[in-house]
Amino acid sequence: MPRKPPSIQGFDSLSDQVFVRNAEAATASDYSASPDIVAIYGWGDCLPQHITKYADGYRALFPCAKQIVVLSPIAKAMFTSREQRRGHMTPVVDYLFGRADAAQDAGVAQSSSKILIHAMSNTGAINFAATLDAYLDRFKRAMPHTFFVMDSTPGGTNLTWANLKRWSRAMALGTAKWFPWPFVATQSIWAFFLLLNTLYLWLRRRQHAGAWSRIAANREEFATKTARRLYMYSKDDDLIGYQDIVDHASDSEKLGYAVDTKEFRGSGHVGHMRMHPEEYWAAIQQSWARTNEKESEHGLH
């Protein structure tokens, strides 16, 4: 019996990973302070009912924004080629900017549209980087967006012992229930597999997906410098080293990106919203307000 494709209540499906829903009715004042489109890239193997909590949070903040939700199966993000990942994210580019065979500006985004991106964990960041790659491949320029939230990402990319433990634990969390043996055995199997995969990529002279996405996020041909960034992290994250996030934020700022950072206390990996909901959404609102202020300043010149 074929496996039933995933679905998200209230959303239309564009693929087995990409889902969209229209904006709610809103007042003129709502529109002036709101993004036009919110795109949420979920963490690895997240369930639809979990990612919708974030979509509903954004709906409460910005009711007049169209929404895109991207599910992130780990296997599709981590163990595929760059070309395959680009293909998986093509429905996002089609929806926003029109299909390759359609008339110009046939997508929902207009030239003045304000687009908010929210990527969660390395897997969400990998899929957003694939979206940037798909856009660049089609339009030969960086994909326009206004604001980029990085929640518990990007992590380190070097194969250190600490990173191997984090990566193998992340993989085991989603698969341990499939096997009868202890969790540590599953983690050990994944660690061995990750070592083999790293060796294979090295022999092929290819970067692994996480490394490529971390680099692409700070390359202007992919990631426009007009978009403000908010990095959200915790020192208690057991899957992503917080210093890797802080270092990437610092590097971004040195390269000319507008950067905000928000540290949470006591919350684990992609657990900041669950533990600190008011603080979490306030940080997004405040950083978005700075984005709007910058947009207004540009409009005066």
Side-chain angles (χ1 to χ4, degrees):
M1 183 176 178
R3 186 177 178 181
K4 185 178 179 182
S7 62
I8 302 179
Q9 186 174 2
F11 284 76
D12 296 323
S13 171
L14 302 184
S15 74
D16 61 350
Q17 286 185 257
V18 182
F19 303 83
V20 298
R21 70 175 170 183
N22 288 324
E24 291 182 346
T27 65
S29 60
D30 290 329
Y31 280 102
S32 64
S34 171
D36 300 292
I37 299 150
V38 172
I40 306 167
Y41 291 76
W43 64 93
D45 290 337
C46 69
L47 298 175
Q49 61 265 34
H50 295 155
I51 196 66
T52 52
K53 293 178 181 177
Y54 292 83
D56 291 341
Y58 273 113
R59 178 51 50 94
L61 286 183
F62 307 121
C64 57
K66 295 180 175 67
Q67 292 191 338
I68 305 169
V69 165
V70 178
L71 299 180
S72 301
I74 289 176
K76 278 194 170 185
M78 298 298 296
F79 307 120
T80 51
S81 68
R82 178 176 164 185
E83 292 73 20
Q84 287 173 315
R85 295 192 298 274
R86 195 162 59 205
H88 296 157
M89 293 300 105
T90 295
V92 178
V93 177
D94 290 344
Y95 175 75
L96 287 174
F97 306 104
R99 297 177 63 86
D101 56 357
Q104 190 174 6
D105 295 328
V108 299
Q110 306 300 314
S111 59
S112 60
S113 291
K114 292 181 286 188
I115 302 174
L116 185 159
I117 305 293
H118 188 121
M120 308 168 84
S121 190
N122 278 359
T123 318
I126 287 168
N127 282 328
F128 178 54
T131 306
L132 297 177
D133 197 19
Y135 184 92
L136 179 65
D137 184 61
R138 183 178 302 177
F139 296 103
K140 312 307 177 189
R141 60 182 184 272
M143 188 184 107
H145 57 286
T146 314
F147 183 44
F148 181 20
V149 180
M150 283 177 266
D151 182 339
S152 307
T153 190
T157 59
N158 295 327
L159 186 63
T160 63
W161 175 243
N163 277 338
L164 182 61
K165 288 193 291 184
R166 292 188 186 107
W167 299 344
S168 59
R169 175 172 166 76
M171 302 298 292
L173 284 171
T175 57
K177 61 181 179 293
W178 301 347
F179 306 110
W181 47 73
F183 181 89
V184 67
T186 305
Q187 184 175 358
S188 299
I189 291 169
W190 274 117
F192 181 66
F193 177 82
L194 289 167
L195 285 169
L196 290 178
N197 187 62
T198 301
L199 176 62
Y200 168 77
L201 293 174
W202 180 79
L203 291 171
R204 297 288 299 272
R205 300 294 187 266
R206 285 167 50 186
Q207 290 176 311
H208 66 76
W212 188 87
S213 67
R214 183 182 174 95
I215 293 167
N218 274 350
R219 286 175 56 181
E220 194 172 4
E221 65 265 36
F222 293 101
T224 174
K225 285 186 178 176
T226 61
R228 190 175 197 88
R229 298 178 165 195
L230 171 61
Y231 291 80
M232 308 173 87
Y233 65 93
S234 169
K235 291 180 180 178
D236 296 291
D237 190 330
D238 62 339
L239 299 184
I240 297 290
Y242 81 93
Q243 193 61 50
D244 293 321
I245 299 175
V246 171
D247 289 346
H248 196 272
S250 177
D251 291 343
S252 296
E253 200 161 24
K254 290 173 185 174
L255 290 168
Y257 292 92
V259 170
D260 296 319
T261 60
K262 174 62 180 176
E263 180 184 346
F264 294 90
R265 307 284 182 178
S267 48
H269 190 62
V270 294
H272 318 314
M273 193 274 283
R274 293 191 298 277
M275 183 172 283
H276 308 287
E278 293 183 4
E279 198 177 345
Y280 186 88
W281 294 114
I284 290 172
Q285 278 187 298
Q286 290 161 11
S287 195
W288 174 255
R290 295 186 191 103
T291 303
N292 265 348
E293 288 169 9
K294 195 70 175 177
E295 291 276 310
S296 299
E297 288 173 12
H298 284 311
L300 292 174
H301 296 290

